[in-house]
Amino acid sequence: NAGVTQTPKFQVLKTGQSMTLQCAQDMNHEYMSWYRQDPGMGLRLIHYSVGAGITDQGEVPNGYNVSRSTTEDFPLRLLSAAPSQTSVYFCASSEDRGNYGYTFGSGTRLTVV
Amino acid sequence: DAKTTQPNSMESNEEEPVHLPCNHSTISGTDYIHWYRQLPSQGPEYVIHGLTSNVNNRMASLAIAEDRKSSTLILHRATLRDAAVYYCILSPYNFNKFYFGSGTKLNVKP
């Protein structure tokens, strides 16, 4: 049981490049979310999903796309990377009623130069 | 979305209880109160959550005010491993999204 797996752990992008941050969970959780955390700050919600085929925006969705074709995977796409997107990105998942809360991945540290 | 207010930092002595406060005066009747913590260089970790009644688990206790406008996370015996940023979060009844605030940084002294 691996929990929530995020890849890659580290990434450096040039401004304007695109990339996909991968997130996979093996707990059959319905709810999945993406957050970003800037240095010294709390987490901010980017996008979330309540099940396969269903996604919605959080508080900072601009510049990011998501899709949820399977229960297990919830990739986050950066369309055209900007230095303002330099951050640590966390993926999280939870079972339907959230009795045990969200399980977070270990994060992807992204630097845009 | 309802917001929470927490002190920026708190300090505690090892093996003593710690009470971490959270104000949420605009909480709605269907908002759950969640607590997470984040150790340095790690993702957040679930601690506890509740709706109206006080809750206990192996990690902590959650005391919720009768009017639900505030709550307190109680660590019964702080250890050095409990040094972290603690977030108090409100989420709707369907549990589909969280908004993290800036949290309380807890420092535990030996």
Side-chain angles (χ1 to χ4, degrees), chain A residues 47-70:
Chain A
H47 286 285
Y48 66 97
S49 170
V50 299
I54 306 170
T55 63
D56 205 347
Q57 296 180 350
E59 53 184 324
V60 288
N62 292 340
Y64 307 95
N65 272 356
V66 292
S67 60
R68 184 98 179 268
S69 56
T70 67

PDB file of all heavy atoms in Angstrom, chain A residues 47-70:
ATOM      1  N   HIS A  47      -6.846  22.764  -7.640  1.00  0.00           N
ATOM      2  CA  HIS A  47      -7.984  22.062  -8.210  1.00  0.00           C
ATOM      3  C   HIS A  47      -8.311  20.861  -7.329  1.00  0.00           C
ATOM      4  O   HIS A  47      -7.442  20.372  -6.607  1.00  0.00           O
ATOM      5  CB  HIS A  47      -7.674  21.544  -9.622  1.00  0.00           C
ATOM      6  CG  HIS A  47      -7.634  22.581 -10.691  1.00  0.00           C
ATOM      7  ND1 HIS A  47      -8.769  23.164 -11.214  1.00  0.00           N
ATOM      8  CD2 HIS A  47      -6.590  23.140 -11.343  1.00  0.00           C
ATOM      9  CE1 HIS A  47      -8.417  24.043 -12.151  1.00  0.00           C
ATOM     10  NE2 HIS A  47      -7.100  24.047 -12.247  1.00  0.00           N
ATOM     11  N   TYR A  48      -9.542  20.398  -7.428  1.00  0.00           N
ATOM     12  CA  TYR A  48      -9.902  19.200  -6.697  1.00  0.00           C
ATOM     13  C   TYR A  48     -10.874  18.362  -7.531  1.00  0.00           C
ATOM     14  O   TYR A  48     -11.443  18.840  -8.515  1.00  0.00           O
ATOM     15  CB  TYR A  48     -10.489  19.530  -5.330  1.00  0.00           C
ATOM     16  CG  TYR A  48     -11.825  20.242  -5.365  1.00  0.00           C
ATOM     17  CD1 TYR A  48     -13.024  19.547  -5.226  1.00  0.00           C
ATOM     18  CD2 TYR A  48     -11.882  21.631  -5.506  1.00  0.00           C
ATOM     19  CE1 TYR A  48     -14.233  20.205  -5.253  1.00  0.00           C
ATOM     20  CE2 TYR A  48     -13.092  22.291  -5.539  1.00  0.00           C
ATOM     21  CZ  TYR A  48     -14.263  21.581  -5.406  1.00  0.00           C
ATOM     22  OH  TYR A  48     -15.479  22.233  -5.425  1.00  0.00           O
ATOM     23  N   SER A  49     -11.025  17.115  -7.111  1.00  0.00           N
ATOM     24  CA  SER A  49     -11.899  16.180  -7.816  1.00  0.00           C
ATOM     25  C   SER A  49     -12.654  15.335  -6.798  1.00  0.00           C
ATOM     26  O   SER A  49     -12.070  14.900  -5.799  1.00  0.00           O
ATOM     27  CB  SER A  49     -11.067  15.271  -8.723  1.00  0.00           C
ATOM     28  OG  SER A  49     -11.852  14.211  -9.237  1.00  0.00           O
ATOM     29  N   VAL A  50     -13.943  15.122  -7.065  1.00  0.00           N
ATOM     30  CA  VAL A  50     -14.753  14.307  -6.153  1.00  0.00           C
ATOM     31  C   VAL A  50     -15.014  12.920  -6.722  1.00  0.00           C
ATOM     32  O   VAL A  50     -15.778  12.143  -6.150  1.00  0.00           O
ATOM     33  CB  VAL A  50     -16.081  15.007  -5.791  1.00  0.00           C
ATOM     34  CG1 VAL A  50     -15.791  16.321  -5.081  1.00  0.00           C
ATOM     35  CG2 VAL A  50     -16.933  15.224  -7.012  1.00  0.00           C
ATOM     36  N   GLY A  51     -14.381  12.604  -7.842  1.00  0.00           N
ATOM     37  CA  GLY A  51     -14.521  11.285  -8.446  1.00  0.00           C
ATOM     38  C   GLY A  51     -14.056  11.326  -9.886  1.00  0.00           C
ATOM     39  O   GLY A  51     -13.850  12.408 -10.456  1.00  0.00           O
ATOM     40  N   ALA A  52     -13.893  10.164 -10.478  1.00  0.00           N
ATOM     41  CA  ALA A  52     -13.455  10.084 -11.871  1.00  0.00           C
ATOM     42  C   ALA A  52     -14.408  10.878 -12.759  1.00  0.00           C
ATOM     43  O   ALA A  52     -15.631  10.749 -12.654  1.00  0.00           O
ATOM     44  CB  ALA A  52     -13.381   8.630 -12.316  1.00  0.00           C
ATOM     45  N   GLY A  53     -13.825  11.707 -13.612  1.00  0.00           N
ATOM     46  CA  GLY A  53     -14.603  12.514 -14.539  1.00  0.00           C
ATOM     47  C   GLY A  53     -15.121  13.810 -13.986  1.00  0.00           C
ATOM     48  O   GLY A  53     -15.746  14.606 -14.707  1.00  0.00           O
ATOM     49  N   ILE A  54     -14.879  14.092 -12.701  1.00  0.00           N
ATOM     50  CA  ILE A  54     -15.424  15.301 -12.059  1.00  0.00           C
ATOM     51  C   ILE A  54     -14.287  16.103 -11.430  1.00  0.00           C
ATOM     52  O   ILE A  54     -13.590  15.612 -10.537  1.00  0.00           O
ATOM     53  CB  ILE A  54     -16.439  14.938 -10.957  1.00  0.00           C
ATOM     54  CG1 ILE A  54     -17.520  14.016 -11.511  1.00  0.00           C
ATOM     55  CG2 ILE A  54     -17.054  16.203 -10.364  1.00  0.00           C
ATOM     56  CD1 ILE A  54     -18.405  13.420 -10.433  1.00  0.00           C
ATOM     57  N   THR A  55     -14.094  17.337 -11.903  1.00  0.00           N
ATOM     58  CA  THR A  55     -13.077  18.209 -11.318  1.00  0.00           C
ATOM     59  C   THR A  55     -13.665  19.597 -11.125  1.00  0.00           C
ATOM     60  O   THR A  55     -14.677  19.953 -11.750  1.00  0.00           O
ATOM     61  CB  THR A  55     -11.822  18.319 -12.212  1.00  0.00           C
ATOM     62  OG1 THR A  55     -12.181  18.926 -13.457  1.00  0.00           O
ATOM     63  CG2 THR A  55     -11.204  16.954 -12.473  1.00  0.00           C
ATOM     64  N   ASP A  56     -13.027  20.370 -10.268  1.00  0.00           N
ATOM     65  CA  ASP A  56     -13.484  21.740 -10.022  1.00  0.00           C
ATOM     66  C   ASP A  56     -12.306  22.576  -9.573  1.00  0.00           C
ATOM     67  O   ASP A  56     -11.252  22.051  -9.175  1.00  0.00           O
ATOM     68  CB  ASP A  56     -14.602  21.774  -8.973  1.00  0.00           C
ATOM     69  CG  ASP A  56     -15.486  23.002  -9.120  1.00  0.00           C
ATOM     70  OD1 ASP A  56     -15.105  23.948  -9.856  1.00  0.00           O
ATOM     71  OD2 ASP A  56     -16.567  23.034  -8.498  1.00  0.00           O
ATOM     72  N   GLN A  57     -12.490  23.904  -9.660  1.00  0.00           N
ATOM     73  CA  GLN A  57     -11.404  24.822  -9.330  1.00  0.00           C
ATOM     74  C   GLN A  57     -11.359  25.113  -7.845  1.00  0.00           C
ATOM     75  O   GLN A  57     -12.385  25.180  -7.169  1.00  0.00           O
ATOM     76  CB  GLN A  57     -11.601  26.135 -10.095  1.00  0.00           C
ATOM     77  CG  GLN A  57     -11.513  25.982 -11.600  1.00  0.00           C
ATOM     78  CD  GLN A  57     -11.714  27.309 -12.317  1.00  0.00           C
ATOM     79  OE1 GLN A  57     -12.090  28.306 -11.708  1.00  0.00           O
ATOM     80  NE2 GLN A  57     -11.451  27.328 -13.612  1.00  0.00           N
ATOM     81  N   GLY A  58     -10.131  25.331  -7.360  1.00  0.00           N
ATOM     82  CA  GLY A  58      -9.932  25.801  -6.003  1.00  0.00           C
ATOM     83  C   GLY A  58      -9.727  27.295  -5.989  1.00  0.00           C
ATOM     84  O   GLY A  58     -10.344  28.023  -6.767  1.00  0.00           O
ATOM     85  N   GLU A  59      -8.838  27.783  -5.120  1.00  0.00           N
ATOM     86  CA  GLU A  59      -8.653  29.226  -4.983  1.00  0.00           C
ATOM     87  C   GLU A  59      -7.621  29.816  -5.922  1.00  0.00           C
ATOM     88  O   GLU A  59      -7.643  31.015  -6.184  1.00  0.00           O
ATOM     89  CB  GLU A  59      -8.303  29.577  -3.525  1.00  0.00           C
ATOM     90  CG  GLU A  59      -7.132  28.805  -2.958  1.00  0.00           C
ATOM     91  CD  GLU A  59      -6.905  29.133  -1.485  1.00  0.00           C
ATOM     92  OE1 GLU A  59      -7.090  30.282  -1.072  1.00  0.00           O
ATOM     93  OE2 GLU A  59      -6.510  28.201  -0.753  1.00  0.00           O
ATOM     94  N   VAL A  60      -6.705  29.002  -6.465  1.00  0.00           N
ATOM     95  CA  VAL A  60      -5.671  29.520  -7.364  1.00  0.00           C
ATOM     96  C   VAL A  60      -5.532  28.643  -8.606  1.00  0.00           C
ATOM     97  O   VAL A  60      -4.483  28.056  -8.870  1.00  0.00           O
ATOM     98  CB  VAL A  60      -4.311  29.670  -6.638  1.00  0.00           C
ATOM     99  CG1 VAL A  60      -4.334  30.814  -5.663  1.00  0.00           C
ATOM    100  CG2 VAL A  60      -3.918  28.357  -5.946  1.00  0.00           C
ATOM    101  N   PRO A  61      -6.567  28.519  -9.448  1.00  0.00           N
ATOM    102  CA  PRO A  61      -6.531  27.579 -10.571  1.00  0.00           C
ATOM    103  C   PRO A  61      -5.837  28.087 -11.835  1.00  0.00           C
ATOM    104  O   PRO A  61      -5.498  27.273 -12.712  1.00  0.00           O
ATOM    105  CB  PRO A  61      -8.009  27.369 -10.854  1.00  0.00           C
ATOM    106  CG  PRO A  61      -8.642  28.691 -10.499  1.00  0.00           C
ATOM    107  CD  PRO A  61      -7.850  29.205  -9.316  1.00  0.00           C
ATOM    108  N   ASN A  62      -5.609  29.394 -11.935  1.00  0.00           N
ATOM    109  CA  ASN A  62      -5.102  29.938 -13.200  1.00  0.00           C
ATOM    110  C   ASN A  62      -3.709  29.413 -13.514  1.00  0.00           C
ATOM    111  O   ASN A  62      -2.807  29.432 -12.688  1.00  0.00           O
ATOM    112  CB  ASN A  62      -5.076  31.462 -13.136  1.00  0.00           C
ATOM    113  CG  ASN A  62      -6.486  32.044 -13.097  1.00  0.00           C
ATOM    114  OD1 ASN A  62      -7.442  31.387 -13.480  1.00  0.00           O
ATOM    115  ND2 ASN A  62      -6.605  33.266 -12.604  1.00  0.00           N
ATOM    116  N   GLY A  63      -3.554  28.958 -14.787  1.00  0.00           N
ATOM    117  CA  GLY A  63      -2.261  28.430 -15.230  1.00  0.00           C
ATOM    118  C   GLY A  63      -2.125  26.938 -15.080  1.00  0.00           C
ATOM    119  O   GLY A  63      -1.084  26.375 -15.433  1.00  0.00           O
ATOM    120  N   TYR A  64      -3.166  26.309 -14.542  1.00  0.00           N
ATOM    121  CA  TYR A  64      -3.127  24.861 -14.293  1.00  0.00           C
ATOM    122  C   TYR A  64      -4.373  24.178 -14.870  1.00  0.00           C
ATOM    123  O   TYR A  64      -5.464  24.725 -14.815  1.00  0.00           O
ATOM    124  CB  TYR A  64      -3.095  24.566 -12.796  1.00  0.00           C
ATOM    125  CG  TYR A  64      -2.014  25.264 -12.022  1.00  0.00           C
ATOM    126  CD1 TYR A  64      -2.277  26.471 -11.360  1.00  0.00           C
ATOM    127  CD2 TYR A  64      -0.736  24.721 -11.920  1.00  0.00           C
ATOM    128  CE1 TYR A  64      -1.295  27.123 -10.639  1.00  0.00           C
ATOM    129  CE2 TYR A  64       0.256  25.361 -11.189  1.00  0.00           C
ATOM    130  CZ  TYR A  64      -0.034  26.560 -10.562  1.00  0.00           C
ATOM    131  OH  TYR A  64       0.943  27.199  -9.837  1.00  0.00           O
ATOM    132  N   ASN A  65      -4.160  22.967 -15.381  1.00  0.00           N
ATOM    133  CA  ASN A  65      -5.274  22.137 -15.809  1.00  0.00           C
ATOM    134  C   ASN A  65      -5.220  20.794 -15.115  1.00  0.00           C
ATOM    135  O   ASN A  65      -4.124  20.294 -14.806  1.00  0.00           O
ATOM    136  CB  ASN A  65      -5.212  21.886 -17.316  1.00  0.00           C
ATOM    137  CG  ASN A  65      -5.933  22.974 -18.103  1.00  0.00           C
ATOM    138  OD1 ASN A  65      -6.545  23.873 -17.527  1.00  0.00           O
ATOM    139  ND2 ASN A  65      -5.864  22.880 -19.413  1.00  0.00           N
ATOM    140  N   VAL A  66      -6.369  20.184 -14.907  1.00  0.00           N
ATOM    141  CA  VAL A  66      -6.424  18.835 -14.336  1.00  0.00           C
ATOM    142  C   VAL A  66      -7.445  18.014 -15.105  1.00  0.00           C
ATOM    143  O   VAL A  66      -8.323  18.547 -15.789  1.00  0.00           O
ATOM    144  CB  VAL A  66      -6.814  18.824 -12.842  1.00  0.00           C
ATOM    145  CG1 VAL A  66      -5.721  19.450 -11.985  1.00  0.00           C
ATOM    146  CG2 VAL A  66      -8.146  19.519 -12.628  1.00  0.00           C
ATOM    147  N   SER A  67      -7.315  16.714 -14.975  1.00  0.00           N
ATOM    148  CA  SER A  67      -8.308  15.779 -15.491  1.00  0.00           C
ATOM    149  C   SER A  67      -8.307  14.577 -14.558  1.00  0.00           C
ATOM    150  O   SER A  67      -7.332  14.325 -13.843  1.00  0.00           O
ATOM    151  CB  SER A  67      -7.987  15.353 -16.921  1.00  0.00           C
ATOM    152  OG  SER A  67      -6.719  14.725 -16.981  1.00  0.00           O
ATOM    153  N   ARG A  68      -9.377  13.825 -14.550  1.00  0.00           N
ATOM    154  CA  ARG A  68      -9.476  12.638 -13.677  1.00  0.00           C
ATOM    155  C   ARG A  68     -10.174  11.540 -14.478  1.00  0.00           C
ATOM    156  O   ARG A  68     -11.367  11.340 -14.393  1.00  0.00           O
ATOM    157  CB  ARG A  68     -10.288  12.993 -12.425  1.00  0.00           C
ATOM    158  CG  ARG A  68     -10.347  11.852 -11.425  1.00  0.00           C
ATOM    159  CD  ARG A  68      -9.339  11.999 -10.330  1.00  0.00           C
ATOM    160  NE  ARG A  68      -9.422  10.920  -9.362  1.00  0.00           N
ATOM    161  CZ  ARG A  68     -10.159  10.949  -8.255  1.00  0.00           C
ATOM    162  NH1 ARG A  68     -10.926  12.029  -8.000  1.00  0.00           N
ATOM    163  NH2 ARG A  68     -10.152   9.941  -7.425  1.00  0.00           N
ATOM    164  N   SER A  69      -9.375  10.830 -15.255  1.00  0.00           N
ATOM    165  CA  SER A  69      -9.947   9.767 -16.085  1.00  0.00           C
ATOM    166  C   SER A  69     -10.090   8.457 -15.312  1.00  0.00           C
ATOM    167  O   SER A  69     -10.906   7.602 -15.691  1.00  0.00           O
ATOM    168  CB  SER A  69      -9.103   9.549 -17.340  1.00  0.00           C
ATOM    169  OG  SER A  69      -7.761   9.272 -16.978  1.00  0.00           O
ATOM    170  N   THR A  70      -9.314   8.281 -14.258  1.00  0.00           N
ATOM    171  CA  THR A  70      -9.423   7.081 -13.416  1.00  0.00           C
ATOM    172  C   THR A  70      -9.494   7.508 -11.949  1.00  0.00           C
ATOM    173  O   THR A  70      -9.119   8.634 -11.609  1.00  0.00           O
ATOM    174  CB  THR A  70      -8.223   6.144 -13.587  1.00  0.00           C
ATOM    175  OG1 THR A  70      -7.044   6.802 -13.068  1.00  0.00           O
ATOM    176  CG2 THR A  70      -8.001   5.780 -15.051  1.00  0.00           C
TER     177      THR A  70
END
